[in-house]
Amino acid sequence: MKRRFLLASIFLLVVGIFAFGQAQKELTALWFYDDPSELEFLNKKAAEYSTSHPGVTIKVNTVAYNDLFTRLTQLVAGNNPPDIVKLTDIRPEIEPFILDLSKYHGKDFLKPFIPGVAAALNREGRILGAPLDVTANGIILNKTLFDKAGVAIPSKEKAWTYNEFLQAISDVKKKTGALYALVWDVTPHRWSTYLFENGGSFYDSTGRKSNFNSPAAIQALRGFADMFDKGYIPKSIWIGSENPRDMFFSGQAVAWMSGSWQVKAMLDNIKNFEWTAGPNPYVTTRSSVLGYKFVSAFSTSKYPDIAADFIKFFTSKENNSDYAKSLMTIASRTDTGTINYGNAQASSALNNLAYELAISPLPASTDIANPVMGYVWNTVKENVIAVLTKTKTPEQAAAAINAQIEDSLRIVYGK
């Protein structure tokens, strides 16, 4: 009896030690979010992963996006970075510490994802993260005004040239008495849509040389100013203080250059008219602009294999589709198919915007993901406004932006 009791005690002790050891595998995730449903989704999936991987727990710490990189820099400096982190870009100061996921999942790990964002996260053969969702810049339309004016909106397959688009929104404005034909977000990121639609880019194909002082970039600066000069876009937005979102939400704007992240807010707040998205107009090239968020792991993690495995689980086909549905955003994978968001208007808009992104030229993704852009955006905005206010010619503005890109390339890449 004593021997049997002793053996049972030893067995329980071993099981206890094993369980204790397993329980020590706690990973931390640093996460920013705007929508509380995203945090709920993450915690739910973390719990699911823990259930299927006994002894592993994932503790989620939250941070405001504006504080994200300051906090990460502090943690890296203190040799205590998180195991897993949600990011919008990989800055030079943290890149050396990011885990190469290809060591765990192979070089083709990102193959099921949208090519542009996959390319952005593949740095010289190292896979530095897995995409969570993407955003797409695009034209949002007041469909009620178009219907009232009897003006047709082309299908996403046909699209319209900028001349056709400007004529259409001008006709709608005139026939309906709307106050504004087109409103445009005051950001260089949204302006860059027009750059790519003119066939321009910020960099050459290597991403290490500026391509901005080109005829296409100069034409984009000139054409954008022309839309203001001819009254399509009110000057009170870019060289004033009016908010294009408020102008569109009021029902008094025919079209709005913004993006997919507005869909949820429109669904929640616009009740007096019907809206839709796309197709984007083009000058020489059909284009949206990629925005994206992704999840990475740090190579300093005690459990890099678990961190890499959780990322694979969290960005799987099923979870990525559910993530997009939950947040009403665009899935980052190409194998999720057409997503039903539970609302016909939202589904149509988001799938139209996803289509625009899928047919965009590669620079509309890779240029935006270039770490040099963090040094360039303010200069782009300043010089676009300088052209609008006639304090610089398009040629002078393009030369100034080009010089800033070249200086920034030397800062980031040492050339």
Side-chain angles (χ1 to χ4, degrees):
M1 179 66 73
K2 289 182 178 179
R3 184 171 180 274
R4 191 175 297 172
F5 176 77
L6 180 61
L7 288 173
S9 298
I10 293 172
F11 174 76
L12 290 173
L13 180 61
V14 170
V15 170
I17 291 171
F18 178 76
F20 180 80
Q22 288 287 84
Q24 298 312 296
K25 292 184 178 179
E26 180 181 86
L27 285 76
T28 59
L30 187 63
W31 216 261
F32 67 88
Y33 67 96
D34 295 317
D35 188 337
S37 63
E38 179 176 4
L39 189 60
E40 293 173 11
F41 185 88
L42 173 61
N43 282 321
K44 175 185 174 184
K45 293 301 173 181
E48 286 180 14
Y49 187 84
S50 295
T51 299
S52 60
H53 296 75
V56 175
T57 58
I58 297 172
K59 179 183 178 183
V60 177
N61 296 321
T62 61
V63 63
Y65 177 71
N66 289 340
D67 299 327
L68 172 64
F69 289 100
T70 300
R71 181 63 178 149
L72 271 180
T73 302
Q74 292 170 343
L75 291 170
V76 168
N79 198 30
N80 188 35
D83 298 282
I84 299 163
V85 63
K86 177 186 174 186
L87 294 169
T88 55
D89 62 284
I90 297 175
R91 299 188 180 181
E93 60 268 27
I94 67 169
E95 183 172 339
F97 305 97
I98 298 295
L99 185 68
D100 178 7
L101 296 177
S102 72
K103 292 181 178 179
Y104 300 88
H105 306 315
K107 297 294 184 182
D108 291 332
F109 175 53
L110 296 181
K111 193 172 182 180
F113 293 88
I114 291 172
V117 70
L121 291 174
N122 193 319
R123 302 282 177 90
E124 298 176 340
R126 295 176 300 137
I127 295 176
L128 301 185
L132 293 170
D133 68 345
V134 298
T135 60
N137 289 3
I139 289 289
I140 298 169
L141 304 172
N142 185 321
K143 187 173 182 300
T144 297
L145 290 179
F146 272 85
D147 291 344
K148 184 178 179 181
V151 176
I153 299 171
S155 69
K156 64 178 184 288
E157 292 82 10
K158 299 279 187 179
W160 37 20
T161 66
Y162 253 94
N163 287 338
E164 293 168 340
F165 168 71
L166 293 175
Q167 183 62 57
I169 60 174
S170 181
D171 289 345
V172 173
K173 177 178 179 289
K174 182 177 180 180
K175 291 178 179 180
T176 62
L179 295 179
Y180 317 106
L182 175 61
V183 295
W184 198 296
D185 284 355
V186 189
T187 78
H189 184 272
R190 234 71 75 237
W191 176 83
S192 70
T193 315
Y194 193 63
L195 171 68
F196 297 119
E197 289 168 340
N198 275 270
S201 64
F202 291 99
Y203 310 95
D204 71 356
S205 59
T206 69
R208 302 295 179 93
K209 184 178 179 181
S210 178
N211 190 45
F212 200 86
N213 201 5
S214 65
I218 293 168
Q219 178 52 39
L221 289 163
R222 180 177 291 110
F224 192 62
D226 194 50
M227 286 191 279
F228 284 80
D229 292 341
K230 292 182 177 178
Y232 295 111
I233 308 174
K235 293 183 178 180
S236 57
I237 301 176
W238 275 69
I239 51 180
S241 58
E242 285 202 84
N243 187 325
R245 172 177 159 138
D246 293 343
M247 297 161 88
F248 187 81
F249 275 40
S250 72
Q252 292 300 318
V254 178
W256 175 27
M257 170 53 80
S258 195
S260 57
W261 57 93
Q262 303 288 1
V263 169
K264 192 172 190 302
M266 291 192 296
L267 195 62
D268 292 341
N269 295 286
I270 297 177
K271 307 299 181 184
N272 59 333
F273 65 90
E274 187 179 355
W275 43 267
T276 188
N280 288 356
Y282 66 94
V283 180
T284 63
T285 308
R286 291 192 65 176
S287 186
S288 175
V289 175
L290 176 74
Y292 63 95
K293 296 179 282 292
F294 58 97
V295 58
S296 296
F298 276 87
S299 57
T300 50
S301 171
K302 290 182 180 179
Y303 312 106
D305 55 334
I306 299 175
D309 189 61
F310 176 78
I311 289 174
K312 183 178 181 180
F313 160 78
F314 193 69
T315 60
S316 66
K317 177 181 175 180
E318 180 181 356
N319 285 337
N320 191 242
S321 178
D322 289 345
Y323 184 86
K325 290 176 187 176
S326 176
L327 301 181
M328 203 161 283
T329 186
I330 300 172
S332 60
R333 297 180 66 111
T334 59
D335 55 1
T336 56
T338 300
I339 294 177
N340 183 349
Y341 292 88
N343 177 279
Q345 191 170 218
S347 294
S348 174
L350 286 167
N351 284 302
N352 283 351
L353 289 164
Y355 178 86
E356 294 292 338
L357 193 59
I359 63 171
S360 297
L362 195 58
S365 299
T366 54
D367 278 15
I368 302 306
N370 195 313
V372 175
M373 289 311 301
Y375 299 89
V376 173
W377 284 127
N378 285 341
T379 300
V380 174
K381 182 177 178 181
E382 290 167 3
N383 280 276
V384 169
I385 292 174
V387 175
L388 298 181
T389 57
K390 312 300 182 187
T391 56
K392 283 185 180 179
T393 65
E395 289 80 5
Q396 290 169 334
I401 295 169
N402 196 71
Q404 179 63 37
I405 294 174
E406 290 178 342
D407 288 345
S408 300
L409 283 164
R410 285 189 284 271
I411 291 171
V412 174
Y413 296 114
K415 295 182 179 180

